[in-house]
């Protein structure tokens, strides 16, 4: 009994570091951190996303509990009706929250929010929901704090569904124009996931991790980048883009395998994209001008200040694997 009393009096083990703790310790801190599924900082216990039900337009916040989305409250709140996700909260102190995107240059209409219960999965053995985009859906934050502008370096990743994609423009997450209009080459820098072949492509038939740097989805600096091999057969994918002051990198792989992450390209940008002219908004599920013909699924993602090291990339991917994405 005494031993049991002593053990119960010991302090609880500190929570495991999240991706943003890893980036911060490496000197490339998160300036935006969005997730439908889990906390991205060890000590984050705030809101993840906001749902609105169609029956009476009331809203409810889904929060973190023991590191994961506490979806029981969502299930109760949305019982007997439909709910949409109207906001995905930024877990950093910068407040770069993603709201449903307004009118844009390509879409000419406001974007719909995703169905809050359309896509169920498990993380760490607990049921959570992902953001399932079906076209005509998108989020953005046009007024941000701390996101790279001009030719400043940045790093970003997202975890996405490996088997839910198309060739439409553009299932993106990352840096974009601040007014939802196309301002020309180099005015955005975002992760793209899909099998578009309209501007550039990797080897095979896709899908690929590419960079949307406006007026082009690029698998590398060339029209066909043989080093950028398709990621096939993975239920969950880690996708990364790193934008440097004089080049960029693409990484991707199976988000459930510790050996899954591969560097797909690192080198110069395509012609006429250097230096970059990034504007610093953040988009999800759409292109910089709100092109909204793509489909895809978003689970989590971050944008950082600075160009992360290879070791940091591997550590973040290992953290994603350890989170335990599954069906």
């Amino acid at each position: 009994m005494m031993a049991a009393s002593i053990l119960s009096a010991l302090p609880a083990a500190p929570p495991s570091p999240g991706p943003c703790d890893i980036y911060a310790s490496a000197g490339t801190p998160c300036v935006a951190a969005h997730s439908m599924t889990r906390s991205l900082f060890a000590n984050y216990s705030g809101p993840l996303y906001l749902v609105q039900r169609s029956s009476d337009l009331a809203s409810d916040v889904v929060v973190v509990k023991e590191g994961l989305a506490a979806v029981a409250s969502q299930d109760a709140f949305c019982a007997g009706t439909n709910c949409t996700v109207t906001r995905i909260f930024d877990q950093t102190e910068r407040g770069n929250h993603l709201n449903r995107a307004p009118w844009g240059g390509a879409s000419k209409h406001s974007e719909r929010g995703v169905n809050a219960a359309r896509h169920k999965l498990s993380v760490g053995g607990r049921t959570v929901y992902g953001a399932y985009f079906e076209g005509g859906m998108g989020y953005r934050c046009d007024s941000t704090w701390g996101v790279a502008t001009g030719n400043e370096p940045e790093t970003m990743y997202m975890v996405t569904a490996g088997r839910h994609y198309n060739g439409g423009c553009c299932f993106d997450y990352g840096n974009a124009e601040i007014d939802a209009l196309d301002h020309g080459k180099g005015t955005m820098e975002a992760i793209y996931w899909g099998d578009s072949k309209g501007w550039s492509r990797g080897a095979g038939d896709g899908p690929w991790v590419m960079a949307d740097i406006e007026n082009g989805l690029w698998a590398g600096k060339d029209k066909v980048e043989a080093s950028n091999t398709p990621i096939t057969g993975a239920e969950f994918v880690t996708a990364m883009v790193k934008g440097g002051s004089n080049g960029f990198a693409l990484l991707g792989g199976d988000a459930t395998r510790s050996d899954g992450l591969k560097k797909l390209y690192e080198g110069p940008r395509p012609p006429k994209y250097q230096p970059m002219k990034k504007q610093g908004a953040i988009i999800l599920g759409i292109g910089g001008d709100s092109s909204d013909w793509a489909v895809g699924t978003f689970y989590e993602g971050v944008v950082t200040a600075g160009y992360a090291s290879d070791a940091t990339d591997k550590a973040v991917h290992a953290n994603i694997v350890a989170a335990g994405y599954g069906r």
Side-chain angles (χ1 to χ4, degrees), residues 53-78:
R53 61 189 177 198
S54 59
S55 58
D56 60 0
L57 301 183
S59 295
D60 192 46
V61 174
V62 176
V63 300
V64 168
K65 182 179 180 181
E66 297 174 347
L68 297 172
V71 299
S73 64
Q74 172 185 327
D75 293 339
F77 180 76
C78 300

Side-chain angles (χ1 to χ4, degrees), residues 107-128:
S107 64
K108 310 297 185 186
H109 59 79
S110 297
E111 302 298 325
R112 294 180 291 130
V114 301
N115 184 318
R118 174 68 173 79
H119 180 65
K120 185 182 291 187
L121 69 150
S122 70
V123 175
R126 272 174 45 186
T127 296
V128 294

Side-chain angles (χ1 to χ4, degrees), residues 247-260:
F248 74 118
L250 303 169
L251 299 92
D254 191 327
T256 68
R257 292 171 53 109
S258 59
D259 62 350

